[in-house]
Amino acid sequence: MTNYDGQISSYKTVSILGQCFDSKAIVYLANHLPSASLVAIKKFDMDKVRGEVKLVEREIILTRQLNHPNIISYHTAFVASSEVCVVSPLMAYGSCRDLLCRHFNEGLIEPSIIMIIQDVLQALVYIHKKGYIHRAIRASHILISATGQACVTGLRYACPIIINGKWQRSIHSFPATTEKNLNWLSPEILEQNLLGYNEKSDIYSVGMVICELANGSEPFAGMSKTLMLTEKVRGITPQLLDRTTVSKDENLDCGGDCELSPSILNRRFSDDLHELAGLCFTREPYDRPTAAQLLTHPIFKTIRKSLPLPELLKPALPLSDRVGYDTEEMEVFDSISRLSNLNLYSCEWDF
């Protein structure tokens, strides 16, 4: 078993993968010199973090406590100068948001969506059993490994369900610094009323992710926060965009700003996928299924004979295939990362 030590000198930076935590952290591709293996290093600039130190601390501690194949793991964490460095396995396809932005602007195909959501639900079953609510399920917080395994991250926004040794029927705390997550949050979290919310709020977010992965765009994109909240409270939710939900006439009526492509208007998602999203969007949390109940849905039986996820994600290639272990390629990437004028921060690699 490889020993990933806490010495910054053991890791040679290859390139910048992207940023996260509102640009307060940068994720690097690095070569762990003792083992000659590629890893991801997330470096939190503590001078920028300042008042949000507890969020960083919470993420590291909670992630190190959890142990599940569908939750990102940390090899080690240490302090180097003014940075907190977290070393994790390289998730070679990056986040689902990256995949949508780079290769699948109009959404993923259905079998790949089902595989990813199955992994996310398995992670949530584990997280909820451990007594936590994630509160930040979104495409940029779902990472895909080279083998096609989806892993959940973003645990800095999680909150405990167990307080003073007692399982709480509802939680009333509003997640801190959550502006970027608002579109995915359930109406009961956003309402902030006396009823509170529980772990089923994560299931509503899963429905948002299904739409995000299927449509290729963020739910409620371009809508004001006030209107988004009003729509959610009224029970209005995003839809899977296909020929059953958007007609060609409606598309023409909406004008050029929102006109959909012919491929979206002609595609057809299964009734099961529409139903799965609908179950997640059940307005009353009491009636909303748990993650374990959703995993019994017949849709997850349809992928048994499907191609592996890496095959379904083509033409996207895992980072390990693009960079590999070739010394010359390493040097090229190392040189590129030194060019300050390149825009290397557009991706969300939220390890």
Side-chain angles (χ1 to χ4, degrees):
M1 184 176 179
T2 303
N3 179 30
Y4 293 93
D5 59 86
Q7 300 294 325
I8 192 64
S9 58
S10 296
Y11 304 90
K12 180 185 178 183
T13 299
V14 179
S15 68
I16 298 172
L17 295 178
Q19 64 177 352
C20 62
F21 201 13
D22 294 327
S23 304
K24 299 180 182 73
I26 299 175
V27 183
Y28 297 88
L29 173 66
N31 182 13
H32 180 237
L33 299 176
S35 64
S37 60
L38 290 174
V39 295
I41 299 183
K42 179 163 60 176
K43 295 183 179 181
F44 293 93
D45 187 336
M46 300 314 290
D47 291 333
K48 292 182 179 179
V49 172
R50 295 184 180 274
E52 297 170 309
V53 172
K54 286 191 176 181
L55 285 178
V56 177
E57 181 183 25
R58 180 190 304 164
E59 180 179 40
I60 294 172
I61 292 174
L62 181 53
T63 305
R64 293 296 295 272
Q65 288 176 345
L66 301 179
N67 182 20
H68 190 275
N70 297 119
I71 299 174
I72 192 68
S73 61
Y74 288 162
H75 292 316
T76 188
F78 55 90
V79 177
S81 186
S82 63
E83 296 177 321
V84 171
C85 304
V86 180
V87 181
S88 65
L90 176 64
M91 303 300 285
Y93 282 98
S95 74
C96 288
R97 185 71 250 165
D98 293 335
L99 287 169
L100 294 176
C101 291
R102 290 182 173 184
H103 300 284
F104 302 96
N105 301 140
E106 295 180 350
L108 299 170
I109 62 172
E110 183 166 328
S112 60
I113 297 171
I114 299 169
M115 290 179 185
I116 292 168
I117 294 301
Q118 184 178 50
D119 284 353
V120 171
L121 289 173
Q122 288 170 344
L124 286 178
V125 169
Y126 176 82
I127 291 171
H128 295 164
K129 282 185 177 179
K130 288 293 183 179
Y132 290 94
I133 306 172
H134 189 285
R135 301 196 302 186
I137 296 295
R138 50 184 285 182
S140 61
H141 290 161
I142 302 169
L143 310 174
I144 310 295
S145 73
T147 60
Q149 188 170 8
C151 291
V152 170
T153 183
L155 287 164
R156 58 183 166 274
Y157 303 105
C159 72
I161 308 171
I162 301 172
I163 300 175
N164 297 325
K166 295 183 179 179
W167 193 285
Q168 306 298 302
R169 295 184 64 180
S170 60
I171 301 295
H172 295 87
S173 64
F174 192 74
T177 61
T178 190
E179 183 178 353
K180 291 186 70 174
N181 298 320
L182 285 177
N183 285 6
W184 289 266
L185 292 179
S186 66
E188 62 266 23
I189 290 183
L190 296 174
E191 284 179 297
Q192 300 184 63
N193 59 28
L194 294 176
L195 295 176
Y197 60 93
N198 58 26
E199 64 273 19
K200 288 187 178 180
S201 61
D202 283 340
I203 304 304
Y204 186 97
S205 300
V206 170
M208 290 292 177
V209 171
I210 293 174
C211 289
E212 185 179 10
L213 297 181
N215 300 338
S217 60
E218 175 182 327
F220 297 110
M223 186 179 293
S224 71
K225 301 304 179 186
T226 302
L227 180 57
M228 176 269 294
L229 173 58
T230 303
E231 294 281 86
K232 284 187 178 182
V233 171
R234 291 173 53 209
I236 305 300
T237 57
Q239 291 182 315
L240 305 181
L241 300 180
D242 65 10
R243 65 173 181 263
T244 68
T245 57
V246 183
S247 70
K248 294 181 180 179
D249 291 338
E250 288 175 328
N251 189 46
L252 291 173
D253 290 342
C254 77
D257 291 340
C258 61
E259 190 171 348
L260 302 176
S261 69
S263 59
I264 290 178
L265 294 173
N266 292 325
R267 72 185 177 189
R268 174 72 165 90
F269 292 115
S270 70
D271 291 340
D272 280 343
L273 189 61
H274 282 278
E275 181 182 63
L276 185 69
L279 289 170
C280 294
F281 289 140
T282 302
R283 179 62 181 88
E284 294 300 322
Y286 179 83
D287 298 323
R288 201 177 298 154
T290 64
Q293 288 170 335
L294 281 178
L295 282 170
T296 65
H297 194 281
I299 196 170
F300 296 111
K301 296 179 181 178
T302 64
I303 57 174
R304 290 177 180 174
K305 296 182 180 180
S306 180
L307 291 171
L309 185 58
E311 291 295 318
L312 299 176
L313 293 180
K314 289 181 177 179
L317 290 175
L319 190 61
S320 53
D321 282 0
R322 284 182 279 144
V323 178
Y325 296 92
D326 183 81
T327 305
E328 291 184 4
E329 278 201 62
M330 283 286 202
E331 291 176 353
V332 170
F333 270 76
D334 194 31
S335 299
I336 290 174
S337 68
R338 295 193 185 112
L339 299 178
S340 59
N341 292 328
L342 290 181
N343 180 17
L344 298 171
Y345 298 94
S346 59
C347 300
E348 294 185 77
W349 290 64
D350 204 346
F351 288 87

